[in-house]
Amino acid sequence: MKRLNPYLTGGITPDWIDYLIAFQEAGADAVEIGLPFSDPMLDGATIQQASDQALRRGVTVASILADLTAARDRIRIPLIAMTYANLVFRGAPAHGGGPEAFCRRLADAGVSGLIVPDVPVDEADRLDEAAAAAGIDLVLLAAPVTPGDRLAEIGRRSRGFVYAVSVMDTTGERALLAETAAPLARRIKEVTDLPVLIGFGISTPAQAAAAARAGDGVVIGAALMRRVLDGASPDDLRAEVAAFRTALDQVDQEMPVARAHAEISGDRR
């Protein structure tokens, strides 16, 4: 089944957990929880605005994890935290800081995955060990310009799935799926058996379907957060995510036909 991982900025509104539950009810396979940071270098204007709104509300990592802990009996799908190295590595271990303590706090709140885009694979040893010790899957990212040897290392060391960054840019809505998305997904699949989820710029159910035909699923972020910033309710977002779910399910229904055609043509990829 093609995977749907919508993104939600933690604490974006006082009732942000209701959006998380709405995503779950709409058929999300997991939800990526953004831990707001003041300098989100990978994120475009919409996610930056969402983070700023959360920070203005006084949201912290501790408050987000407390909200998740309080809602654990309502949450049935995996949660993946997305944040930046500054938040993960700050503080000395002797004072309850560093990646070891950070990952334990995630696990205690029911989070099972972690994405830290500004920690490159060749500098990820300590974070990798800390995540593994806490039972957290450290998800690594690959980009269209990632060279083959580095791509193989990412495929070997990522856990849960590989995040395919579809375009060399920040997050944000786009009119068309990037032409680099499908070739990148194919390259990643050559070096790992992990699912490949495509993100960055996937803004419509049609784009999600196109991406899912190349990969194993999608991450949807800015398109959803823009709706929340514009005042859309959890019910509104449930309908939005359900439309993405329907599009991916339709791709699943196509796949047996696609495989049969591939065998007839002699394509053995």
Side-chain angles (χ1 to χ4, degrees):
M1 185 177 76
K2 300 298 184 182
R3 299 190 184 189
L4 174 59
N5 287 16
Y7 169 98
L8 174 63
T9 299
I12 186 173
T13 62
D15 61 346
W16 75 276
I17 290 290
D18 291 340
Y19 290 93
L20 169 56
I21 301 304
F23 290 1
Q24 173 179 274
E25 293 174 347
D29 295 293
V31 174
E32 184 179 319
I33 305 295
L35 304 181
F37 178 56
S38 58
D39 185 23
M41 64 187 71
L42 196 71
D43 293 312
T46 300
I47 302 298
Q48 288 186 31
Q49 186 179 351
S51 291
D52 289 345
Q53 178 166 303
L55 292 171
R56 285 196 302 271
R57 293 190 54 246
V59 164
T60 64
V61 172
S63 70
I64 290 172
L65 296 184
D67 288 344
L68 292 175
T69 299
R72 286 189 72 167
D73 61 344
R74 302 170 62 196
I75 300 170
R76 303 184 305 275
I77 58 176
L79 304 178
I80 303 161
M82 186 278 183
T83 193
Y84 291 88
N86 302 60
L87 296 183
V88 176
F89 285 88
R90 69 180 179 181
H95 297 95
E100 297 81 10
F102 187 88
C103 290
R104 287 195 300 270
R105 292 167 66 197
L106 293 183
D108 289 345
V111 176
S112 58
L114 175 62
I115 301 169
V116 189
D118 54 343
V119 175
V121 65
D122 47 5
E123 298 178 14
D125 288 353
R126 182 182 173 192
L127 179 55
D128 194 4
E129 292 173 5
I136 300 287
D137 285 338
L138 182 62
V139 178
L140 301 180
L141 295 86
V145 297
T146 303
D149 57 345
R150 194 176 184 87
L151 195 66
E153 181 74 357
I154 290 169
R156 183 181 70 81
R157 297 187 61 177
S158 191
R159 297 291 179 266
F161 63 93
V162 177
Y163 193 138
V165 176
S166 68
V167 63
M168 294 300 299
D169 204 345
T170 56
T171 62
E173 295 173 88
R174 297 181 182 278
L176 298 171
L177 179 67
E179 294 181 357
T180 48
L184 174 59
R186 287 194 293 269
R187 290 180 61 216
I188 298 171
K189 284 177 169 292
E190 290 174 355
V191 299
T192 183
D193 293 328
L194 289 174
V196 177
L197 271 62
I198 300 174
F200 282 52
I202 299 176
S203 306
T204 67
Q207 291 174 14
R213 291 185 184 100
D216 299 295
V218 294
V219 179
I220 311 293
L224 300 177
M225 291 306 92
R226 179 183 54 79
R227 294 281 288 125
V228 177
L229 290 168
D230 288 345
S233 69
D235 283 342
D236 294 329
L237 268 293
R238 183 183 295 107
E240 298 268 353
V241 174
F244 283 102
R245 177 76 270 165
T246 297
L248 297 188
D249 289 346
Q250 289 173 347
V251 173
D252 276 324
Q253 294 172 10
E254 297 170 4
M255 297 310 290
V257 174
R259 284 195 294 269
H261 288 172
E263 290 185 1
I264 292 170
S265 70
D267 187 345
R268 293 295 186 269
R269 288 177 296 173

